[in-house]
Amino acid sequence: MATASYDRAKEVKQFDDSKLGVRSLVDSDITAIPRFFIHPPETLSDLRQPCSTIRQDQDVIPTVDLSGVDSQLLRPMIVDKVARASRKLGFFQVVNHGIGDDVLDRVIGAIKEFHEQPTEVKALLYRREINYGVLFFSNIDLFRSKAASWRDRLTIKFDPAQLKLEEILEICRNEVMEWNKRDHARGGDDGIAVRRIRSEANEVEGDDFPRTEDHGGTLLPLLIIEVGCRLSTVRNGWMLNKPVPGALVINIGDLLQIMSNNEYRSVEHRVLANPSREPRISTAVFFTPGDAESLIGPFPELISPETPARYRQFTYTDYMRRFFTKELDGKSLTNSYRLSD
């Protein structure tokens, strides 16, 4: 319960100015969790609601096997599975994606080691200005959320115009660069696997997807290597997504829902509280357009008198501005660009 003597804005600013992050806060031997991490009573009911509506044994998040993706016989079946999962759930997992378990294990281990570095080392990268290639901070929405998340974040943008390799700490540099190389080889500039499968599944030419010639960025999925369980919304509650070892979790984002003109579903999702004393490490990859000022909207091939455009056009710059100035409450940004019926 808030009291007159509690100045939340001041306490949040002091935490951010300290550049500690959550991990270093724990290492500082605190005896109580700072109040700005604790949800006020009015938000707790919303957070507790999923616990009574989790469906674990009815529907299962589909797992798509990408082996044989270059086969004329198997490829149509793989495309169909991706399309159905993208339309119905907005969540699926892929296996045999060409990124070895050793690469996944190394990048997860390297990111964990980064967060275990001394405060003074990580503090050199602690910043919120988005025009840097490497950023370390705690909570994107720290100053806007009703309660902060118990989470730190390392962001690396593989944009040659912003990224300086020497800013990536040596303890994780090689692993991160190897992951980026392997990831783009399977879903990036050359269009193998997920990128072109998405195009075919939505009956759109692969080259129509916004891309960069420099580093293969696209507007397609959010890829997550997940340690732990996630929840995603279904019509009658929440579905538990139990990770498959070595699989990549594909999460349809707002931009792909808009570009597919509502054919694909950007699904609300949450992460379950971690019951273990070990930290949960998630490595996410956001594919983004190379030209931040290019217009984004529904693909022209998907627009007709029977299926008119559901969204207006906008720039990626506008989308990111809205993203970084809203609370991370799980609510979609698609409504910001929706056209009236």
Side-chain angles (χ1 to χ4, degrees), residues 194-220:
V194 175
R195 184 175 184 272
R196 288 202 181 275
I197 287 173
R198 290 291 185 83
S199 306
E200 294 172 27
N202 217 8
E203 299 181 354
V204 173
E205 290 297 323
D207 287 339
D208 286 343
F209 282 103
R211 61 190 289 180
T212 71
E213 299 302 327
D214 292 329
H215 58 98
T218 68
L219 275 174
L220 301 187

Side-chain angles (χ1 to χ4, degrees), residues 93-95 97 101 104 226 242-248:
Q93 301 183 87
V94 294
V95 295
H97 41 69
D101 290 353
L104 303 184
E226 183 64 55
K242 294 182 179 180
V244 174
L248 300 179

Side-chain angles (χ1 to χ4, degrees), residues 74-292:
L74 297 178
R75 188 180 186 88
M77 291 184 285
I78 295 173
V79 169
D80 182 64
K81 289 180 181 179
V82 169
R84 283 189 284 116
S86 299
R87 291 185 176 106
K88 182 180 179 181
L89 298 174
F91 247 77
F92 60 97
Q93 301 183 87
V94 294
V95 295
N96 293 320
H97 41 69
I99 303 176
D101 290 353
D102 57 332
V103 176
L104 303 184
D105 291 342
R106 285 198 301 271
V107 75
I108 288 288
I111 297 302
K112 183 174 184 290
E113 286 192 59
F114 168 85
H115 288 287
E116 292 175 346
Q117 293 301 295
T119 302
E120 58 270 21
V121 173
K122 294 184 293 184
L124 297 174
L125 298 173
Y126 195 100
R127 50 205 178 196
R128 295 185 179 275
E129 299 83 356
I130 62 173
N131 57 331
Y132 283 94
V134 181
L135 305 90
F136 165 66
F137 54 89
S138 183
N139 286 259
I140 289 178
D141 59 344
L142 180 64
F143 295 94
R144 298 177 300 279
S145 63
K146 297 178 180 66
S149 299
W150 199 246
R151 176 180 61 191
D152 293 334
R153 175 170 178 158
L154 171 66
T155 296
I156 301 173
K157 292 184 281 186
F158 294 98
D159 180 350
Q162 293 182 309
L163 180 61
K164 298 177 181 178
L165 289 181
E166 63 270 18
E167 288 192 338
I168 306 177
L169 292 189
E170 188 175 354
I171 197 168
C172 62
R173 185 184 304 154
N174 290 339
E175 290 79 5
V176 166
M177 296 307 295
E178 175 67 9
W179 156 253
N180 183 57
K181 176 182 175 182
R182 299 289 188 94
D183 179 59
H184 282 155
R186 292 303 289 174
D189 197 51
D190 66 356
I192 296 175
V194 175
R195 184 175 184 272
R196 288 202 181 275
I197 287 173
R198 290 291 185 83
S199 306
E200 294 172 27
N202 217 8
E203 299 181 354
V204 173
E205 290 297 323
D207 287 339
D208 286 343
F209 282 103
R211 61 190 289 180
T212 71
E213 299 302 327
D214 292 329
H215 58 98
T218 68
L219 275 174
L220 301 187
L222 157 63
L223 305 183
I224 302 173
I225 310 168
E226 183 64 55
V227 180
C229 292
R230 296 177 72 84
L231 298 174
S232 60
T233 53
V234 292
R235 286 185 175 84
N236 299 315
W238 291 80
M239 183 184 298
L240 185 64
N241 177 26
K242 294 182 179 180
V244 174
L248 300 179
V249 179
I250 311 297
N251 174 193
I252 300 295
D254 292 349
L255 296 177
L256 190 52
Q257 176 173 320
I258 290 170
M259 294 163 70
S260 69
N261 204 34
N262 277 352
E263 277 294 303
Y264 289 172
R265 181 184 177 203
S266 177
V267 65
E268 184 179 353
H269 51 278
R270 295 180 179 178
V271 178
L272 287 173
N274 187 4
S276 171
R277 295 183 62 87
E278 290 297 312
R280 189 205 316 265
I281 307 293
S282 297
T283 303
V285 179
F286 296 84
F287 286 88
T288 60
D291 184 357

Side-chain angles (χ1 to χ4, degrees), residues 57-76:
D57 56 359
Q58 297 183 32
D59 295 314
V60 177
I61 298 291
T63 298
V64 180
D65 189 340
L66 295 184
S67 59
V69 70
D70 297 319
S71 162
Q72 291 184 346
L73 177 64
L74 297 178
R75 188 180 186 88

